């Protein structure tokens, strides 16, 4: 059983940075692929980034070069470092997990954390 809790969201001005954290439960964390999704008002939930159980990372084009996903298996935590934030990054950010090494983990979800970027 996996439970995910996001933290680190907040309000920043354009060009600023935030680091999101997703703390997980369970003894199978190191076997899971972890990802971040976001959902802006009036928009569908969008995949943002994934780090597989093997450490491979992937990003949506709009955040490539600005966001970095990482994981600390000892702490059972995944991070999303967000630099050069833009107003269009404003959304609720959700942490997700899945069994194995897959591109788009969707088996488990956190409750989300709000990120707001002002001009």
């Amino acid at each position: 059983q996996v439970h995910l809790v996001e933290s680190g969201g907040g309000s920043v001005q354009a060009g600023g940075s935030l680091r999101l954290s997703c703390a997980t439960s369970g003894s199978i964390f190191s076997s899971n692929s972890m990802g971040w999704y976001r959902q802006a008002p009036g928009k569908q939930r969008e995949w943002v980034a994934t780090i597989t159980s093997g450490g491979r990372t992937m990003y949506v084009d709009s955040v490539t070069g600005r966001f970095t996903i990482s994981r600390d298996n000892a702490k059972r935590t995944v991070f999303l470092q967000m630099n050069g934030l833009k107003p269009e990054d404003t959304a609720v950010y959700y942490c997700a997990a899945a069994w194995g090494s897959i591109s788009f983990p969707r088996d488990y979800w956190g409750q989300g954390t709000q990120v707001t970027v002002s001009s």
Side-chain angles (χ1 to χ4, degrees):
Q1 299 297 320
V2 178
H3 299 281
L4 300 84
V5 180
E6 303 96 334
S7 63
S11 298
V12 298
Q13 293 186 332
S17 298
L18 285 172
R19 192 187 196 196
L20 305 184
S21 177
C22 176
T24 68
S25 65
S27 61
I28 61 173
F29 175 81
S30 63
S31 298
N32 286 350
S33 290
M34 304 293 299
W36 289 95
Y37 295 74
R38 65 187 181 186
Q39 188 166 20
K43 304 293 185 179
Q44 294 186 355
R45 190 166 298 187
E46 173 192 34
W47 170 79
V48 176
T50 292
I51 183 165
T52 69
S53 58
R56 181 167 60 95
T57 60
M58 296 171 287
Y59 304 91
V60 67
D61 287 346
S62 60
V63 309
T64 297
R66 299 188 297 120
F67 291 10
T68 302
I69 187 171
S70 62
R71 64 192 297 161
D72 185 332
N73 289 340
K75 296 181 178 180
R76 298 177 178 177
T77 303
V78 63
F79 304 95
L80 186 68
Q81 178 67 47
M82 305 185 294
N83 298 325
L85 284 163
K86 304 175 180 180
E88 52 263 43
D89 295 319
T90 295
V92 177
Y93 283 70
Y94 298 90
C95 180
W99 297 98
S101 182
I102 65 173
S103 297
F104 305 103
R106 295 171 178 172
D107 291 338
Y108 305 95
W109 295 91
Q111 294 298 307
T113 185
Q114 177 70 48
V115 171
T116 302
V117 184
S118 60
S119 300

